[in-house]
Amino acid sequence: MAATGQTDSRGMRRRGLLKAALPLGVGATALGTGSAAATGDARSEAPARRGRDRIDVHCHLIPDFYRRSLAAHGITEIGGVPVPAWSPNLAVDFMNRYGIQTQVVSVSEPGVTYLSSAKDRVAMAQRLNTYTSRDLVHATSARLKGRFGGFAVLPLGSAPDEQDVSHAVTEAKRAVRDLKMDGVGLFSSYGGKYLGDPLFAPLMKALDDLGAMVFIHPVTPQNHPDLGLPPFLYEFTFDTTRALVNMLYKCVYQRYPRIRWLAAHAGGTLPYISYRTSLLTLTPAIAQQVGAAGLDDSSPHFRRLFYDTALSPAPQAMKSVRELAGTEHVLFATDWPFASALFLGAGDPAPQLDETFSPAERLAVERSNALAQFPALAARIGAEPA
């Protein structure tokens, strides 16, 4: 895995570039928002919503015991980003500033893949999931109650084998049935094996039996070209795309129709290239000869996926997602705390969404779409599923 804390020259360049780039990104976002408001666009002038109603489906937790374990294995940055500060109180403070009622948290790269023994991976996955369920999802304190949902992490390693997959099946069932978590988190790839690989078939069957919502989060792919930039900028998006396309051609969507898939970061690059990557399913040469309709379409399986807005609220991404899957398949997300440098104030966490969605559509993207897909969460917070 590339999520290491080694202080080589490449890592130093990445950290330096990241520190230089993030303030520019924040400034550019602020400038862009001001410019949009100056145009007088009716949607940008819609009255601001009040209270806390957003559901954030892509954000992360880093409990102290997990942080210490990462550090003990030399992991101090993830995706080229230093491991950020996290605590339940910091998360609630963030939610309160940005009108977020609930975060559905997950474990980011490297998950438990950095642990060399299957026993240690199982123990850490169990500890993380038990903590997430007991201390966050089903918390009873006034400050934390109703503020968290959770995706389970599974004990898959950096070179997964049948034993790993068997352990993952067991933990997925425990997390969903016993711990009452809201779904399962998977990475786009594990040691170069992408979702869709036949190795994962028993896990896919278990997730299908559970009718699970499965959140796909990218990882830094093996042997990626080094441009001296943090991998999260682009490699994450490519790895998500590889997984989603591989699952199409390995018939995962067709064989396991009860799994609902949530793709991080607007599905990587998939919405933009969904037609191209569907070509082998469309038999275009024959269809063109007989004048068949539907050649300018993408795979219907891609249209049934769900896509989050994390690091992707701008219209370049959102309009492509909307064209592919429709507004009802878009869910709000922040990627906090890894994206914390983009959230330095308060108020609207994603004003760029106004350039794609009407106020009513934004309410669906930021709340009701998630309530429909997470009915147990909706019940915990006393909300009616859409």
Side-chain angles (χ1 to χ4, degrees):
M1 297 296 293
T4 67
Q6 295 176 354
T7 55
D8 58 10
S9 60
R10 183 170 65 178
M12 293 297 291
R13 289 201 311 275
R14 285 176 178 161
R15 285 193 290 276
L17 284 163
L18 180 68
K19 291 176 181 176
L22 283 178
L24 291 175
V26 173
T29 300
L31 289 171
T33 303
S35 175
T39 65
D41 186 292
R43 287 183 295 184
S44 68
E45 296 173 355
R49 300 211 304 264
R50 297 178 180 177
R52 296 195 303 262
D53 60 12
R54 295 181 173 92
I55 309 296
D56 184 351
V57 301
H58 175 175
C59 41
H60 300 292
L61 76 160
I62 312 164
D64 287 342
F65 66 84
Y66 181 59
R67 182 190 302 275
R68 289 193 296 268
S69 179
L70 292 175
H73 288 80
I75 300 171
T76 57
E77 61 178 45
I78 295 172
V81 179
V83 178
W86 181 89
S87 72
N89 282 330
L90 287 174
V92 170
D93 289 343
F94 170 76
M95 286 188 267
N96 290 346
R97 292 200 310 272
Y98 286 100
I100 297 168
Q101 181 174 8
T102 303
Q103 288 185 337
V104 186
V105 295
S106 58
V107 178
S108 185
E109 178 186 28
V112 298
T113 62
Y114 66 97
L115 297 169
S116 59
S117 81
K119 180 180 178 180
D120 289 344
R121 291 193 293 273
V122 169
M124 180 57 76
Q126 289 179 342
R127 187 176 182 185
L128 282 164
N129 293 333
T130 298
Y131 169 83
T132 303
S133 173
R134 182 194 61 213
D135 291 28
L136 300 178
V137 176
H138 301 290
T140 58
S141 71
R143 181 166 173 79
L144 301 184
K145 185 176 181 178
R147 305 310 299 271
F148 294 96
F151 289 111
V153 62
L154 300 184
L156 293 166
S158 60
D161 56 19
E162 292 181 359
Q163 182 188 49
D164 261 4
V165 173
S166 177
H167 291 159
V169 168
T170 299
E171 184 60 13
K173 292 177 180 178
R174 185 183 83 97
V176 174
R177 292 175 177 169
D178 300 338
L179 300 181
K180 307 298 182 185
M181 297 183 72
D182 296 294
V184 170
L186 290 177
F187 293 149
S188 49
S189 61
Y190 293 85
K193 286 189 180 294
Y194 282 83
L195 298 183
D197 190 289
L199 173 69
F200 300 120
L203 177 58
M204 297 299 108
K205 175 64 166 59
L207 295 172
D208 190 66
D209 291 342
L210 291 168
M213 171 65 86
V214 178
F215 175 50
I216 302 175
H217 193 279
V219 295
T220 305
Q222 289 187 334
N223 304 316
H224 66 90
D226 178 25
L227 304 183
L229 293 166
F232 86 89
L233 281 177
Y234 49 92
E235 292 294 349
F236 272 20
T237 65
F238 302 152
D239 218 55
T240 299
T241 304
R242 293 183 188 104
L244 298 175
V245 173
N246 194 47
M247 288 196 293
L248 174 67
Y249 288 100
K250 297 300 175 21
C251 299
V252 169
Y253 307 127
Q254 182 177 353
R255 290 173 180 162
Y256 310 105
R258 296 187 66 239
I259 301 175
R260 290 161 298 134
W261 299 98
L262 172 60
H265 310 120
T269 65
L270 181 74
Y272 179 71
I273 62 173
S274 59
Y275 169 67
R276 178 187 179 118
T277 57
S278 300
L279 284 176
L280 296 183
T281 71
L282 300 177
T283 58
I286 296 174
Q288 286 175 3
Q289 291 179 17
V290 300
L295 286 179
D296 294 327
D297 204 353
S298 302
S299 168
H301 296 293
F302 290 157
R303 295 187 178 278
R304 288 195 286 269
L305 303 179
F306 293 87
Y307 301 84
D308 77 36
T309 69
L311 300 181
S312 309
Q316 298 94 318
M318 283 296 102
K319 289 184 178 180
S320 185
V321 173
R322 181 178 180 172
E323 182 68 19
L324 173 63
T327 300
E328 65 275 13
H329 279 236
V330 184
L331 280 66
F332 170 75
T334 64
D335 212 343
W336 188 87
F338 287 94
S340 57
L342 301 177
F343 300 101
L344 300 180
D348 188 342
Q352 306 96 321
L353 293 176
D354 279 343
E355 299 180 59
T356 301
F357 304 106
S358 70
E361 289 170 332
R362 277 200 66 173
L363 184 58
V365 167
E366 295 177 310
R367 181 172 177 82
S368 58
N369 290 348
L371 294 178
Q373 297 307 316
F374 297 95
L377 184 154
R380 291 197 306 272
I381 64 176
E384 289 290 333

